[in-house]
Structures are given as C-alpha cells and as structure tokens.
Amino acid sequence: MKALTILFNDQDEFSDSCLEIFSFINSLDNNTDITCLNFGGDKKYLSKLPVDNNFYVDLSNANTNQIDILKTIEVFLDDEVYDFIIFQKDDFSNYIAPVISYRKHYPYIPDIKQIFSNNLKDIKFVRPIHGESAEGIYSVEKNNTIVLKIRKNSFEKQPLLLEEKNITELLLKVVNNKPFKIIETFQTQSEGLKLDDAKIVVSGGRGIGGKEGFENLRSLANILNGAVGASRAAVEAEWIEPSNLVGLTGKWISPNLYITFGISGASQHLAGCSNSKNIVSVNTDPDASIFNYSKFGIVEDCNKFIIDLIEELKKTS
Amino acid sequence: MKICVCIKEVPDSDVPINKLQIDSENLKVLPIENISSIINGFDLNAVELALRFSESIQNSSVSIISVGNDLSSDVIKKPIAMGADEIITCDDKKNINIDVHGTALILSKLIKKTGPYDIIFSGRHASDFDMATVPFALSEMLSIPILNIVKNIKKEKEKILLERIITDGYQLIESNLPLIITAGNQVGDPRYPTLKGIMEASKKKIINFTLDQLDLSIKDIETKVNLEKVYFPENQNNVEMIEGTDSKEKAIKLISKLKESRII
C-alpha cells in the first residue's frame, strides 16, 4: 500500500502532533510505503520523520497563496498514484484537502478519530457528527485514492527516527494570473494565557448569571495558572469577550483539566471541549448532560462553589 | 451585483444532548421533543455578510438558495425577513440522505439555472455533519475560486478586498470576481428580522425546482462516501458525583480528588 501525507508545518518550531499521522497509517496497514510532502518547517526535524520518501517545499513567505500550493500538489500527484492521501487539521489542510479531493474526483472524509479495518478493502472510519454529541461510521468503495483528514489528539504519536534521512527539496510551482492575491498577513496577539495552549481551562455558562461571575472565574484561572472559557449563552449575554468562546463556533481545545460552571452540555459546546483529558462539572441541575462527559460532578450553585474553591485552593497552595 | 447565499436547515445545535435521539433509518440526530429546526448558524453569518456587502453597492440583489427534502418554509424564509430578495430551493422528496457530492451538485445546478452570480456566500460548515466541504466541492464544480472564513468584504473602485481569518490572525486579500466565500461567527451576530421583513417573508413565494427540472436523476446524486451508522458514543466517563453537606465541603473534596489523581 502507498500513502502520501501532506504536512503544513510551522516555520518556527516543530510540532510533534504530525507524528500522529504515522501511527494512523500503520493502523491502516503496517506494511505501507509512506511518502511525506512537507510545506515549510524545520528541515532538520522533518528529515527524522518515520517515512520512506521525504520531500520539502520552502514556504518562508507568509503570504503564500493556496493556488500555488494546489498547483505544486497536483504536479506532484502526476508522478504516482497513492491509496491514501492524508492531512491533519490546520488552516492550509482545511482548504487544500477538500479541493484536491474534488479536483481529482477522490472521496474525502474529514475529522477521523478512529478506524476499524479487517483489510484494505474494508475500512470503517469513525468521525464525530452533530457537534460531538454523536458519531458516524463511514465507508468508501476502495477502487480509488481516498483523501482523509485526521483529528488531532486521536492517535498515538510515533517517535521520530534517531538519525536524519535524506529529504528532497522541491520548488513551489508559482501560478501566474491568480484569481486572488494575499496582500498582507496580520498576526494578532491575545492577552493572557491562550485558550489553545492552557493546560487548565475554567469555563462559565448561563448558570454564571453575569459579569461578576466571570471576574471570580478569572481569579480561579489565575490561581490554577489556567485560561478562562465560556459557552455561547455567556458570550451572547456579553458577560465575556467572544474570543473566549469554547464550542462549535469558537475554540476547539483539549486541556488536561476543563472545569465547567453552569454549563448544561449542548452539543454546540461539547464540540469544543470534549477532547479535554479530564472534565469537572458544577451545575445546579443533577440531570445536566454535561455530567455524562465528566470525571467529577458537583451539584451546587456554581457562583458559591467558585468562591469556596478559590478559598480552599489558596489554603492548600 | 448579483449575490447568492447557500443555506441549510439543520437540527438546533443548542439542544442538550439528553434531549436528542437517533433516527437510525434516516441516519440522523434529531431532538426528542417537538423542537423546531433552525438555519445553520454559520449560514446566517453568511447571510449577514452578504446583506452588508449588498447594502454598500447600488443595484445589487441577494438570493437565498437551499437544498433539502420537506424544508420548513417558516425556517428557511428567515433571511428574507432579514432583508434578502428571493428564495430559490430544490425541495424534493428524492433528496433523502444525500451527501456532500449530491448537495453540491444540486446547488451548482440551481446556481447555473438562476445565475450567474458575482459572489456566492455560504457558512464555513454545517452544525449537523461538520464536513466543511460543500463550498469547496461547489467551487470545483462551477470552476469559481473560493476563499474560506472571510469576515469582511468591500468594494473599492473596481477592486474586491477581503479579510480572511487564519489561526491567530487574518489576511488582507484582493480578489477577482466571481468568487465563493465562506463565513463564520467572526462576521458578528446576524441582524434580527424586522416586522416589515417578517410581513414580506410571509408573502414571499419560494421558487422551487424539482430534480427533474434541474435535469438530475437519483443516480446523479448517489453518495460517494457511505454513512453506515449513527450512534451516541458509549459514555466512557463514569462520572463520580462529589457529595457533601455544603459547597465548602465539596470544594475541599474536589481539590483532594484532583490532587490524588495528579490532575493538579
């Protein structure tokens, strides 16, 4: 079997989350010839990727146009037919993967979190649907290349090789007369600890009742060295900035500890937080569905509980 | 300028999970109680962006386009109440269990039949199946370039300028037309329908095309990817409820549990 993985790497640091792709490929078939086409990133690390054929396209221009990347991939695909083309979830892949699939008439399944396979002709792909409230099992008739995009934090990371191996440099194919051009790229810096990076996130919902509750949540976040999140109900009530929104229409996070206060557990919210390692929930309603996703649950008035929790944490630290 | 927005009717994503059930015959997740469906949230952001853009340009019109089977007219007419001009659908009983391919193909036919449009808007993804693929499939079928997650669009002289959201920032882009654009919540809240708008929407006739009228057969819209089963994942978290006489006691117990499990 032949698999191609297309990686869009950060210029500054190597992100080992791409190593999940290789254990995913091994779970499809552990006798796979793996080709990796890297766009950007640290070549030294990338030359240690556990692959058979490794290619690298320099992407140091921040205004790289998707049209040029697509052209480069199309030309690359002229040389070889693969059983699978595999992407991970990021800005470029979210654009490139569906376009490649429809341009080449290959079936496409995004956000895969699990697979079941007896043989390469019979593979079932599992992906979340309806926010995170349900899952769907998908299959494809295997007479063609299949384009897949896998979810982060769903597969083991395969280790890097100990030694650097050969990596072949390719040039970006630049298309003249593009339908759009990127004039400038702006990076915005957010204040405080970023939601995406925080190991601990404390989040408030409708049950918090107002801005004051979020002030207390910020104090709790400071003690725990965490970040503050919110459900859509809280953001819509303007108790907190939209940049703090966790959920289908906001941030998708996977902290080690996620504590919810006054959040009921709509699929809209779970989409953004159900990948958290440990969820603790505080709600006055003992039947709130968020408890079904939690490791620990507390039935209590959340504002009172936040204050008691802050007080007790101060005593123990 | 002729503008259209593709919208989808979906189950309400704000319904708590314990009020949802699986329709195993039609492979769907539905609310248990008689809760009305809604327009996909990001599609309403797209409607808002399209209306703002249209208002900044003379002689422009906004058409709403939707595909489904047994669409609820009260729900899908909302963009008309918000200010859109007309609504065009392919509401056909044969459109059952269609996937990205079928949806995009029907949309492309509707767009060819009622267009051409200068800009086609859509939400970045739908809250029911989260595929985020139909606009890209449409882009390939119509050979019109696409820009995803756009939060602002304006016309300056003959130029179209857009702001496209990326992780931790945005890009300023200059584009030719025609163009497909997807929108997310960064656009800001969709406007509320006005009373006048609601009256107009109630009178507005939906322009419907059947599959036959679009020269499409059931075979044309067969799925490319098979959805075999829909289920609620087994709850692996056996929640441990922390009991106590008051809030303080529960807080003390929680801290010790989290420390025991080395979570904090």
Side-chain angles (χ1 to χ4, degrees):
Chain A
M1 182 189 102
K2 282 186 174 173
L4 169 67
T5 172
I6 300 178
L7 298 180
F8 299 97
N9 305 298
D10 199 298
Q11 297 303 319
D12 304 326
E13 52 188 306
F14 176 71
S15 162
D16 63 358
S17 73
C18 70
L19 295 169
E20 291 184 43
I21 288 187
F22 305 108
S23 70
F24 171 78
I25 293 172
N26 281 332
S27 64
L28 284 169
D29 177 19
N30 57 15
N31 192 18
T32 306
D33 183 71
I34 306 175
T35 300
C36 184
L37 176 58
N38 291 285
F39 284 91
D42 187 330
K43 254 171 88 176
K44 192 174 160 61
Y45 278 104
L46 297 174
S47 64
K48 291 183 187 171
L49 290 177
V51 300
D52 301 290
N53 319 292
N54 208 349
F55 296 90
Y56 177 86
V57 182
D58 183 57
L59 214 64
S60 45
N61 179 357
N63 296 334
T64 299
N65 194 305
Q66 296 90 331
I67 305 285
D68 295 336
I69 290 176
L70 278 167
K71 184 72 191 168
T72 309
I73 295 172
E74 272 190 273
V75 171
F76 189 85
L77 289 175
D78 284 343
D79 294 341
E80 194 81 64
V81 175
Y82 298 92
D83 295 279
F84 296 94
I85 302 176
I86 303 158
F87 293 85
Q88 215 180 18
K89 198 177 174 119
D90 54 60
D91 286 343
F92 271 117
S93 301
N94 292 349
Y95 187 104
I96 303 290
V99 172
I100 284 289
S101 113
Y102 273 83
R103 190 161 295 177
K104 307 288 283 183
H105 302 284
Y106 297 153
Y108 169 55
I109 312 178
D111 300 322
I112 293 160
K113 61 184 280 189
Q114 203 183 345
I115 55 166
F116 301 106
S117 100
N118 298 319
N119 58 66
L120 285 175
K121 294 267 173 217
D122 179 22
I123 307 174
K124 311 281 185 211
F125 301 93
V126 181
R127 62 184 298 276
I129 59 170
H130 205 276
E132 295 283 318
S133 60
E135 288 176 354
I137 298 182
Y138 291 76
S139 67
V140 185
E141 283 194 31
K142 183 76 192 83
N143 46 20
N144 213 334
T145 305
I146 304 176
V147 181
L148 304 170
K149 192 170 78 188
I150 66 165
R151 266 170 71 112
K152 285 185 183 166
N153 301 318
S154 299
F155 301 92
E156 296 285 313
K157 286 174 189 152
Q158 192 161 318
L160 284 171
L161 302 174
L162 296 173
E163 286 176 15
E164 293 173 25
K165 276 174 61 176
N166 181 41
I167 186 161
T168 308
E169 204 150 335
L170 300 175
L171 286 177
L172 188 71
K173 306 274 180 214
V174 178
V175 178
N176 295 323
N177 298 322
K178 286 188 265 287
F180 54 82
K181 64 176 182 208
I182 298 160
I183 298 167
E184 202 169 349
T185 297
F186 300 89
Q187 299 287 342
T188 48
Q189 298 287 333
S190 57
E191 280 176 38
L193 193 57
K194 276 203 244 166
L195 260 179
D196 311 75
D197 299 338
K199 295 266 188 297
I200 298 178
V201 176
V202 295
S203 231
R206 202 186 302 272
I208 284 275
K211 282 186 180 167
E212 195 189 340
F214 276 97
E215 286 303 315
N216 291 334
L217 267 191
R218 281 198 189 91
S219 312
L220 178 62
N222 281 340
I223 293 174
L224 292 167
N225 192 24
V228 177
S231 76
R232 198 166 77 174
V235 170
E236 281 182 354
E238 296 182 2
W239 298 337
I240 187 155
E241 293 295 305
S243 58
N244 296 74
L245 178 63
V246 173
L248 189 65
T249 53
K251 294 265 164 60
W252 295 48
I253 56 171
S254 45
N256 185 39
L257 174 60
Y258 187 67
I259 315 183
T260 78
F261 297 90
I263 289 178
S264 63
S267 62
Q268 148 75 239
H269 187 74
L270 286 163
C273 71
S274 67
N275 249 9
S276 307
K277 295 237 163 47
N278 301 287
I279 299 180
V280 174
S281 294
V282 185
N283 204 297
T284 46
D285 176 7
D287 297 324
S289 52
I290 190 80
F291 288 132
N292 296 330
Y293 296 81
S294 305
K295 186 177 175 75
F296 299 116
I298 297 117
V299 179
E300 190 58 70
D301 175 86
C302 59
N303 284 309
K304 185 161 179 9
F305 191 78
I306 294 169
I307 292 165
D308 286 329
L309 194 57
I310 291 172
E311 218 167 87
E312 294 308 320
L313 279 168
K314 277 184 183 161
K315 282 185 199 165
T316 57
S317 60
Chain B
M1 178 111 34
K2 211 164 142 65
I3 296 165
C4 80
V5 190
C6 303
I7 63 163
K8 185 178 188 185
E9 185 178 341
V10 295
D12 190 342
S13 60
D14 272 339
V15 173
I17 290 191
N18 51 12
K19 299 223 164 41
L20 294 173
Q21 63 181 336
I22 303 284
D23 172 357
S24 48
E25 194 181 328
N26 293 312
L27 298 169
K28 280 184 176 138
V29 180
L30 298 169
I32 291 172
E33 288 162 28
N34 198 13
I35 299 170
S36 166
S37 55
I38 55 167
I39 293 175
N40 177 42
F42 292 141
D43 296 349
L44 285 180
N45 293 127
V47 170
E48 175 60 35
L49 190 61
L51 288 173
R52 276 185 216 158
F53 182 62
S54 147
E55 284 157 2
S56 72
I57 290 166
Q58 282 191 329
N59 295 328
S60 58
S61 68
V62 178
S63 306
I64 303 298
I65 297 190
S66 193
V67 172
N69 90 81
D70 201 16
L71 291 167
S72 158
S73 68
D74 287 350
V75 174
I76 59 163
K77 274 186 178 178
K78 184 173 180 182
I80 301 289
M82 289 165 69
D85 297 287
E86 60 174 1
I87 177 154
I88 300 153
T89 60
C90 173
D91 187 357
D92 192 316
K93 288 208 163 32
K94 292 176 198 155
N95 291 347
I96 202 152
N97 295 337
I98 50 173
D99 68 351
V100 169
H101 163 76
T103 309
L105 187 63
I106 300 169
L107 283 173
S108 73
K109 292 277 186 179
L110 284 170
I111 286 167
K112 281 181 188 161
K113 195 119 188 157
T114 60
Y117 295 95
D118 298 293
I119 311 186
I120 299 163
F121 290 75
S122 129
R124 60 182 283 192
H125 65 80
S127 59
D128 52 356
F129 287 101
D130 304 346
M131 296 288 279
T133 307
V134 166
F136 294 96
L138 201 53
S139 158
E140 289 300 307
M141 288 172 183
L142 295 169
S143 297
I144 296 177
I146 180 166
L147 283 169
N148 59 337
I149 325 187
V150 169
K151 74 162 180 174
N152 256 324
I153 170 168
K154 61 180 177 185
K155 189 163 182 268
E156 269 187 12
K157 292 178 188 158
E158 290 312 302
K159 284 184 191 168
I160 297 290
L161 294 174
L162 307 105
E163 285 171 19
R164 172 179 182 257
I165 300 288
I166 52 170
T167 305
D168 301 323
Y170 70 96
Q171 293 176 320
L172 184 63
I173 296 177
E174 184 186 326
S175 177
N176 302 340
L177 296 180
L179 181 67
I180 297 177
I181 285 176
T182 78
N185 52 316
Q186 296 87 353
V187 167
D189 290 340
R191 65 193 63 190
Y192 288 108
T194 60
L195 198 58
K196 185 166 163 265
I198 293 168
M199 300 282 283
E200 271 173 27
S202 70
K203 282 183 278 177
K204 184 74 76 183
K205 269 197 83 150
I206 294 174
I207 305 162
N208 191 56
F209 293 91
T210 61
L211 276 187
D212 289 345
Q213 286 170 324
L214 297 174
D215 300 320
L216 288 173
S217 67
I218 289 194
K219 189 150 179 44
D220 293 327
I221 57 166
E222 266 178 8
T223 58
K224 299 278 182 206
V225 173
N226 310 313
L227 176 57
E228 296 190 352
K229 189 181 172 188
V230 170
Y231 59 97
F232 291 123
E234 259 185 54
N235 178 17
Q236 290 163 348
N237 274 318
N238 267 331
V239 62
E240 181 183 335
M241 298 308 287
I242 295 176
E243 311 288 345
T245 51
D246 60 9
S247 165
K248 199 173 205 48
E249 189 184 330
K250 291 177 200 170
I252 295 167
K253 282 188 182 170
L254 175 64
I255 294 167
S256 82
K257 293 266 182 200
L258 290 175
K259 289 200 165 166
E260 267 171 38
S261 331
R262 295 176 176 275
I263 297 172
I264 57 170

